[in-house]
């Protein structure tokens, strides 16, 4: 049997439910541009009718409805799209960092250009060619000295920039480690808050949005696997647990490097940073070191012409030479330094050449410590250009006009050097100095192009999935405004129905049963 006030109660429920619709719509509109916000909706259903089937059911026809009720307010979210986004986001983070690093390497190597190492090398070889035409010319010697110092400066500068880039990447790993710790700690706290709130029967929609946004950000930094448990998200990085309920496992730069070595960390920005530092930057630093050391001391085969006079006691290929050569000989010398020691300077008495390039600290030559020998820097006359001597009244003296050594040095530009043993990591093991440097530039160009291509492709995938997520979870202002009109009309209709029931009850209460008064 329906209550006298049944109609009023039905209208009250309608008003309450339509108000919930409008308030949720207002919340959606307010957060239309909030990052990570998921559209919310009210889940409404017809409330239980006044009489259910049973032994006490009255004989009244049909079941009289009691109106509407809203059961919950939930997010519109697709877990499959979330998983896809996080899976693609980690690869984008990896390639984006590698592409950025390779772009910086291209700027450091700076080729092709008019100011890079190759131009400095060309100027260096050309100055030797010019000096070979007039080996007694002091100006020509000073030009060789200045170009040699410029070459040393170019190696030093490039090496420092590579070292700075490596240090920046190392610092970035520490920054990313702290960022991971901040995110995982916050996710742990959100797990706890969501668990407590939803234990009371509510849906913690806004807190879940915050947790998912942080999880999406974490997925770009490191590769993660997310499992939703009754007490919240459990997040793992390979076999390493990062979050369990309200507990986060701290990471460090060292632990992340260990995770890369173990294979647990295999994508994301941190992986890309470590890969860029240990693979690309370290490789180009090593190759630059090889190039600098090879110019100074690398094995190179030359042909010394007949009539040349080698310094007393010179040993080449196991043979000791003394006096003028009776024929051309082909020998292997150790770079420009070894070649300089086969000739004579301008000074008297007869003076053997010295190492042309040395290291600043006495250790093996690298691009960082590569320098022109201070002896030559202070006195260009110590540059050896002649391979002839003559007997004079004052003793053995150099033939200053002889250009044999200067000519052989200028020809090193087109002669193959040995850059390293097989498997040493060099791009080419044998070739000219120009060949080696061109191979470095070519390798860098291919790697940068590949990283840029992968970054572009991966970003397209991430953007596509993000677009799908927005189409499902994003707020459409047009749709919400359309719904607002619908909710407003429904609310007005429910209010009008309540007014009608009130008028009917007023008639019953105030105007019936007054006959005879």
């Amino acid at each position: 049997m329906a209550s006298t006030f049944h109609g009023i109660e039905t209208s009250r429920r309608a008003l309450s439910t339509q108000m919930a619709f409008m308030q949720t719509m207002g919340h959606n509109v307010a957060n239309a541009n909030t990052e990570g916000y998921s559209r919310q909706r009210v889940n409404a259903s017809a409330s239980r009718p006044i009489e259910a089937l049973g032994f006490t059911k009255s004989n009244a026809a049909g079941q009289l409805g009691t109106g509407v009720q809203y059961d919950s307010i939930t997010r519109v979210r697709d877990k499959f799209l979330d998983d896809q986004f996080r899976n693609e986001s980690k690869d984008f983070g990896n390639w984006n960092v590698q592409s950025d690093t390779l772009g910086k390497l291209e700027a450091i190597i700076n080729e092709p250009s008019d100011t890079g190492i190759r131009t400095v090398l060309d100027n260096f070889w050309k100055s030797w060619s010019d000096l070979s035409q007039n080996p007694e010319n002091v100006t020509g010697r000073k030009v060789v000295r200045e170009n040699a110092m410029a070459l040393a400066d170019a190696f030093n500068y490039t090496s420092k920039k590579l070292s700075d880039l490596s240090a920046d990447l190392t610092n970035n790993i520490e920054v990313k480690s702290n960022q991971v710790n901040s995110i995982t700690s916050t996710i742990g706290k959100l797990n706890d808050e969501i668990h407590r709130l939803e234990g009371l029967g509510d849906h913690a929609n806004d807190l879940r949005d915050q947790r998912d946004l942080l999880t999406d950000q974490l997925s770009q930094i490191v590769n993660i696997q997310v499992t939703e448990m009754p007490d919240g998200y459990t997040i793992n990085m390979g076999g390493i647990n990062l979050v369990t309920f309200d507990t986060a496992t701290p990471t460090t730069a060292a632990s992340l490097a260990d995770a890369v070595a173990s294979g647990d960390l295999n994508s994301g920005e941190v992986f890309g940073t470590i890969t860029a530092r240990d693979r690309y930057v370290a490789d180009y630093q090593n190759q630059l070191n090889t190039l600098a050391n090879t110019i100074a001391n690398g094995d190179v085969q030359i042909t010394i012409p007949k009539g040349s006079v080698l310094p007393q006691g010179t040993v080449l290929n196991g043979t000791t030479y003394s006096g003028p050569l009776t024929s051309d000989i082909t020998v292997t010398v150790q770079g420009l330094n070894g070649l300089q020691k086969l000739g004579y300077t301008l000074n008297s008495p007869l003076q053997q050449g010295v190492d042309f390039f040395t290291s600043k600290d006495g250790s093996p030559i690298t691009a960082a410590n590569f320098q022109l020998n201070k002896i030559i820097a202070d006195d260009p006359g110590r540059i050896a250009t002649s391979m002839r001597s003559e007997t004079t009244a004052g003793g053995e003296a150099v033939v200053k006009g002889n250009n044999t050594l200067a000519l052989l040095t200028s020809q090193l530009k087109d002669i193959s050097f040995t850059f390293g043993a097989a498997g040493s990591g060099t791009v080419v093991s044998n070739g000219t100095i120009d060949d080696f440097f061109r191979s470095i530039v070519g390798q860098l160009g291919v790697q940068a192009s590949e990283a840029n291509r992968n970054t572009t492709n991966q970003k397209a995938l991430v953007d596509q999935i993000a677009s799908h997520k927005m189409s499902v979870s994003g707020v459409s202002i047009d749709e919400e405004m359309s719904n607002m009109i619908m909710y407003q009309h429904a609310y007005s209709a429910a209010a009008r129905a309540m007014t009608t029931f009130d008028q009917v009850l007023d008639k019953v209460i105030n105007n019936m049963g007054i006959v005879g008064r």
Side-chain angles (χ1 to χ4, degrees):
M1 178 67 69
S3 165
T4 302
F5 296 95
H6 175 76
I8 291 213
E9 176 61 19
T10 299
S11 297
R12 184 198 65 78
R13 289 179 177 173
L15 288 172
S16 176
T17 299
Q18 298 308 319
M19 181 59 73
F21 274 120
M22 287 192 287
Q23 289 174 336
T24 302
M25 176 274 301
H27 185 51
N28 285 339
V29 170
N31 288 280
N33 296 315
T34 301
E35 184 182 9
Y37 179 80
S38 301
R39 177 168 55 92
Q40 297 180 14
R41 67 182 174 195
V42 177
N43 300 309
S45 63
S47 57
R48 184 173 180 174
I50 198 168
E51 284 188 328
L53 185 62
F55 290 111
T56 60
K57 183 180 184 302
S58 71
N59 293 325
Q63 285 188 328
L64 188 60
T66 59
V68 67
Q69 66 183 17
Y70 67 93
D71 304 309
S72 62
I73 300 175
T74 57
R75 303 185 303 162
V76 179
R77 193 91 181 189
D78 189 331
K79 184 178 183 303
F80 175 70
L81 288 176
D82 284 341
D83 292 340
Q84 271 196 319
F85 179 84
R86 291 162 189 163
N87 189 53
E88 299 300 340
S89 182
K90 63 183 175 63
D91 290 329
F92 171 70
N94 171 30
W95 284 113
N96 190 44
V97 171
Q98 291 193 36
S99 175
D100 179 67
T101 302
L102 286 164
K104 292 176 180 176
L105 283 171
E106 286 187 308
I108 291 171
I109 299 299
N110 194 27
E111 293 293 343
S113 72
D114 294 332
T115 57
I117 290 179
R118 186 172 179 184
T119 298
V120 179
L121 273 169
D122 286 342
N123 292 338
F124 177 68
W125 298 126
K126 183 178 183 300
S127 65
W128 272 104
S129 178
D130 293 342
L131 181 59
S132 68
Q133 297 175 26
N134 187 2
E136 297 180 75
N137 185 273
V138 175
T139 300
R141 288 173 174 273
K142 289 184 177 179
V143 171
V144 169
R145 179 186 66 179
E146 295 304 317
N147 278 297
M149 294 173 69
L151 179 61
D153 287 342
F155 276 127
N156 297 162
Y157 174 82
T158 304
S159 180
K160 183 179 183 303
K161 288 301 178 182
L162 291 175
S163 296
D164 290 346
L165 179 57
S166 181
D168 288 343
L169 292 172
T170 298
N171 291 336
N172 189 51
I173 296 170
E174 187 68 38
V175 171
K176 291 299 178 183
S177 173
N178 294 334
Q179 192 174 351
V180 168
N181 291 337
S182 175
I183 291 174
T184 54
S185 175
T186 305
I187 290 175
K189 293 176 183 176
L190 287 170
N191 275 342
D192 182 46
E193 290 184 52
I194 292 169
H195 182 67
R196 286 190 294 106
L197 284 173
E198 295 190 346
L200 301 174
D202 294 324
H203 290 275
N205 297 318
D206 295 323
L207 293 180
R208 281 180 170 267
D209 282 343
Q210 292 177 34
R211 184 176 66 180
D212 281 329
L213 176 61
L214 289 171
T215 304
D216 289 346
Q217 293 172 352
L218 182 62
S219 70
Q220 185 166 325
I221 301 173
V222 295
N223 54 284
I224 57 174
Q225 302 85 43
V226 182
T227 305
E228 185 167 7
M229 306 297 286
D231 55 4
Y233 281 176
T234 294
I235 301 178
N236 294 318
M237 180 180 69
I240 300 173
N241 178 259
L242 297 178
V243 180
T244 298
F245 185 36
D246 61 350
T247 303
T249 303
T251 64
T252 63
S255 68
L256 291 174
D258 291 340
V260 171
S262 66
D264 291 306
L265 177 54
N266 53 36
S267 196
E269 291 176 344
V270 174
F271 176 80
T273 302
I274 293 175
T275 299
R277 181 193 65 182
D278 296 346
R279 178 185 172 189
Y280 298 128
V281 179
D283 177 48
Y284 287 109
Q285 184 71 272
N286 288 337
Q287 292 193 63
L288 194 67
N289 290 340
T290 298
L291 179 61
N293 189 55
T294 300
I295 291 174
N297 298 310
D299 287 350
V300 58
Q301 195 173 75
I302 61 170
T303 299
I304 302 175
K306 174 183 177 180
S308 298
V309 179
L310 302 180
Q312 190 69 29
T314 298
V315 179
L316 294 172
N317 297 353
T319 302
T320 301
Y321 292 90
S322 179
L325 298 180
T326 57
S327 63
D328 293 352
I329 60 170
T330 300
V331 296
T332 298
V333 297
Q334 281 66 56
L336 192 55
N337 288 348
L339 189 55
Q340 276 286 296
K341 293 176 183 177
L342 298 182
Y344 309 103
T345 70
L346 283 183
N347 299 339
S348 296
L350 193 65
Q351 188 177 55
Q352 182 180 358
V354 296
D355 286 339
F356 196 82
F357 291 114
T358 60
S359 67
K360 295 177 181 179
D361 53 11
S363 61
I365 290 178
T366 65
N369 63 27
F370 186 86
Q371 70 171 4
L372 177 64
N373 192 326
K374 288 186 176 298
I375 295 174
I376 295 176
D378 294 338
D379 179 11
R382 295 295 296 272
I383 298 175
T385 53
S386 174
M387 296 188 79
R388 292 287 183 92
S389 65
E390 59 184 357
T391 303
T392 66
E396 198 72 13
V398 63
V399 177
K400 296 183 179 181
N402 179 260
N403 69 347
T404 302
L405 187 56
L407 192 59
L408 286 174
T409 304
S410 69
Q411 292 170 353
L412 291 179
K413 180 180 187 296
D414 302 313
I415 300 177
S416 291
F417 284 74
T418 299
F419 290 95
S424 62
T426 59
V427 183
V428 292
S429 57
N430 289 282
T432 67
I433 297 296
D434 284 352
D435 288 340
F436 188 85
F437 190 69
R438 275 197 299 266
S439 68
I440 293 176
V441 175
Q443 180 190 33
L444 178 57
V446 171
Q447 289 173 339
S449 177
E450 177 72 4
N452 290 338
R453 182 182 64 81
N454 284 325
T455 302
T456 301
N457 292 344
Q458 203 60 40
K459 187 176 188 304
L461 285 173
V462 171
D463 289 346
Q464 182 185 44
I465 297 170
S467 177
H468 288 171
K469 284 181 63 179
M470 284 297 296
S471 68
V472 173
S473 302
V475 176
S476 168
I477 296 295
D478 291 340
E479 181 181 352
E480 297 296 334
M481 292 299 98
S482 175
N483 289 339
M484 180 184 68
I485 296 172
M486 180 175 63
Y487 301 149
Q488 181 184 11
H489 286 178
Y491 186 90
S492 297
R496 181 60 182 168
M498 179 174 278
T499 300
T500 301
F501 285 126
D502 179 61
Q503 291 173 345
V504 169
L505 290 174
D506 178 65
K507 179 66 69 175
V508 171
I509 294 170
N510 295 316
N511 295 305
M512 291 179 65
I514 61 173
V515 177
R517 287 184 183 178

